[in-house]
DNA sequence: GGGCCCGCAGGG
DNA sequence: CCCTGCGGGCCC
């Protein structure tokens, strides 16, 4: 059998946010080579071992997951599946050496989160592909259990640096061509601006966003509007991140941080005109008639919203949740 | 190809 | 909690 070749970046047009039932499914999708191990590696173009994907599933007690930044623990030094170090880890371990190699070469790695990981950022069950990260540092230290561990600092690539999948690239090419064409004709600056926003929106329409919109049948969770546009008979809705994406303090692209909204309510949420209370009521700060008005957020069983994202959004807009007359 | 070791599964 | 099973690498 031919040696596995490391492959960096998205694979098979699988969008970040795509959910899998089991490690076997993740492997079969070619996101991660291994059935069980955390680090996926193969030979790179110089025939060295280089890592191309990792799984985070609480296998090592020293892991720290903050979505945008991950402090990952290398492989080895524990009895299988125990989560407990019983000896030192080594840089001779192929997984650890391959992650270091990818750090040196600047290869990005795919990150897959399992349900046992950090609650705020992990899927309720199974596994979820969360896109591309770069490895910014590696070092050794003494772990909680008192043994040497290999450590890696990973940072999520900014949205504009998350490489597009090939389908998205095709759409972008198409839009680029149309944009050029229109610019020649009209020299209208608004055209290229609109083109830019369209591309951004495509990039951000992850599997998470698609799933949330489907759960709500493309109806707005705030006002209930079902915008019937398009020939497919489906309504138009947008995936709105409560705790906005981007930047080192950006929120995660996970179900519990996304709402299905109409464009009006989306922009109001993004500008802080709408906010959510801890008990999932929507408050319009600038409602006509003086006092803020609130109404319950429309919810469905399978769509859990996390308070921490609601709070991050309020904190961002400097909203203290005190004067709540519903 | 066989034997051995390893591992962020998976199920009882 | 323990145990079994399995795929991949690597060494004969």
């Amino acid at each position: 059998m031919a040696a596995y070749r490391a492959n960096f970046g998205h694979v098979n047009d699988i969008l970040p946010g795509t959910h899998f039932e089991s490690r076997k499914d993740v492997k079969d999708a070619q996101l991660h080579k291994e059935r069980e191990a955390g680090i996926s590696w193969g030979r790179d173009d110089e025939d060295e071992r280089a890592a191309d994907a990792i799984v985070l599933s609480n296998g090592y007690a020293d892991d720290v997951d903050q979505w945008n930044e991950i402090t990952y623990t290398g492989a080895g030094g524990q009895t299988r599946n125990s989560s407990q170090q019983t000896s030192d880890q080594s840089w001779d371990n192929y997984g650890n050496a391959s992650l270091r190699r990818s750090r040196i070469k600047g290869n990005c790695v795919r990150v897959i989160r399992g349900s046992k990981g950090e609650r705020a950022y992990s899927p309720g069950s199974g596994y979820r592909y969360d896109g591309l990260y770069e490895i910014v540092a590696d070092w050794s230290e003494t772990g909680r259990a008192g043994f040497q561990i290999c450590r890696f600092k990973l940072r999520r690539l900014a949205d504009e640096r998350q490489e597009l999948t090939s389908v998205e690239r095709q759409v972008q090419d198409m839009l680029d061509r149309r944009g050029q064409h229109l610019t020649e004709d009209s020299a209208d600056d608004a055209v290229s601006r609109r083109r830019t926003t369209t591309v951004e929106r495509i990039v951000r329409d992850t599997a998470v966003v698609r799933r949330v919109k489907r759960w709500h049948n493309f109806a707005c969770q705030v006002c209930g509007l079902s915008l019937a546009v398009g020939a497919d008979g489906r309504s138009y809705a947008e995936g709105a991140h409560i705790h906005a994406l981007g930047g080192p303090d950006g929120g995660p692209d996970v179900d519990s941080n996304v709402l299905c909204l109409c464009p009006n309510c989306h922009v109001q949420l993004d500008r802080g005109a709408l906010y959510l209370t801890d008990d999932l009521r929507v408050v319009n700060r600038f409602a006509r008639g003086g006092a803020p008005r609130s109404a319950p957020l429309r919810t469905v069983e399978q769509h859990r919203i996390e308070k921490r994202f609601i709070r991050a959004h309020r904190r961002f807009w400097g909203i203290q949740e005190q004067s709540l007359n519903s």
Side-chain angles (χ1 to χ4, degrees):
Chain A
M1 203 173 68
Y4 175 81
R5 290 270 140 200
N7 63 101
F8 311 105
H10 296 303
V11 293
N12 299 333
D13 291 324
I14 297 166
L15 289 173
T18 303
H19 184 265
F20 299 86
E21 285 301 314
S22 67
R23 279 296 300 269
K24 175 104 180 13
D25 293 344
V26 173
K27 174 184 153 61
D28 291 346
Q30 296 175 294
L31 283 172
H32 192 290
K33 178 170 64 75
E34 306 289 337
R35 195 189 67 94
E36 178 170 347
I39 304 165
S40 168
W41 60 266
R43 304 288 176 160
D44 64 15
D45 49 14
E46 291 170 50
D47 237 33
E48 297 289 327
R49 296 181 184 93
D52 60 9
I54 61 164
V55 170
L56 273 129
S57 192
N58 200 30
Y60 289 79
D62 292 284
D63 284 356
V64 181
D65 184 5
Q66 301 174 101
W67 179 257
N68 276 315
E69 189 173 285
I70 297 166
T71 311
Y72 195 66
T73 311
Q78 59 182 34
T79 51
R80 187 163 69 156
N81 208 23
S82 70
S83 241
Q84 224 166 23
Q85 294 301 129
T86 52
S87 59
D88 291 340
Q89 294 188 345
S90 158
W91 290 102
D92 293 336
N93 177 289
Y94 290 154
N96 299 340
S98 68
L99 273 172
R100 174 170 268 179
R101 168 82 177 172
S102 279
R103 197 262 305 157
I104 291 164
K105 300 299 271 185
N107 304 322
C108 57
V109 292
R110 294 177 291 275
V111 168
I112 297 108
R113 284 187 174 80
S115 58
K116 294 200 283 288
E118 182 63 42
R119 263 193 69 76
Y121 307 130
S122 301
S125 69
Y127 298 83
R128 187 189 58 224
Y129 174 47
D130 278 338
L132 305 177
Y133 285 65
E134 61 186 338
I135 308 164
V136 294
D138 62 63
W139 69 96
S140 303
E141 67 181 58
T142 307
R144 287 188 189 190
F147 296 98
Q148 285 301 111
I149 54 173
C150 301
R151 308 226 80 185
F152 304 89
K153 179 84 68 190
L154 287 89
R155 256 204 276 280
R156 189 165 204 276
L157 294 184
D159 285 340
E160 54 279 13
R161 287 188 56 208
Q162 289 273 334
E163 199 185 315
L164 303 180
T165 64
S166 73
V167 165
E168 289 173 324
R169 207 177 293 120
Q170 279 174 33
V171 173
Q172 185 172 35
D173 287 348
M174 197 183 74
L175 290 166
D176 281 346
R177 275 199 301 279
R178 198 181 60 178
Q180 269 169 19
H181 179 66
L182 289 176
T183 311
E184 282 161 21
D185 280 358
S186 62
D188 182 355
D189 201 38
V191 171
S192 54
R193 269 209 305 278
R194 182 176 317 132
R195 173 168 57 89
T196 311
T197 24
T198 313
V199 170
E200 248 170 49
R201 192 159 284 153
I202 288 165
V203 172
R204 293 187 172 195
D205 209 3
T206 58
V208 166
V209 165
R210 292 176 188 195
R211 180 166 58 240
V212 168
K213 293 200 284 195
R214 243 183 295 115
W215 279 342
H216 295 278
N217 217 356
F218 299 82
C220 179
Q221 282 185 261
V222 170
C223 68
L225 179 67
S226 202
L227 252 186
V229 291
D232 61 358
R234 243 178 14 187
S235 299
Y236 174 81
E238 297 179 353
H241 291 87
I242 303 167
H243 180 185
L245 300 173
D249 300 317
D253 185 27
V254 298
D255 300 338
S256 55
N257 187 33
V258 171
L259 297 176
C260 172
L261 298 183
C262 72
N264 274 340
C265 292
H266 188 178
V267 76
Q268 291 184 83
L269 180 80
D270 281 358
R271 300 294 173 86
L274 294 180
Y275 69 91
L276 297 174
T277 65
D278 280 359
D279 55 350
L280 294 186
R281 296 184 69 85
V282 187
V283 182
N284 185 340
R285 291 203 284 163
F286 311 120
R288 277 174 298 181
R293 285 284 154 76
S294 84
L297 183 76
R298 290 153 200 263
T299 54
V300 294
E301 179 67 36
Q302 63 270 51
H303 188 196
R304 183 174 56 104
I305 310 283
E306 278 197 69
K307 285 196 180 67
R308 53 183 299 158
F309 303 134
I310 293 172
R311 289 174 179 163
H313 176 259
R314 287 203 306 262
R315 207 176 310 121
F316 184 86
W317 290 104
I319 297 162
Q320 265 102 29
E321 194 188 332
Q322 80 273 59
S323 55
L324 279 185
N325 326 319
S326 57

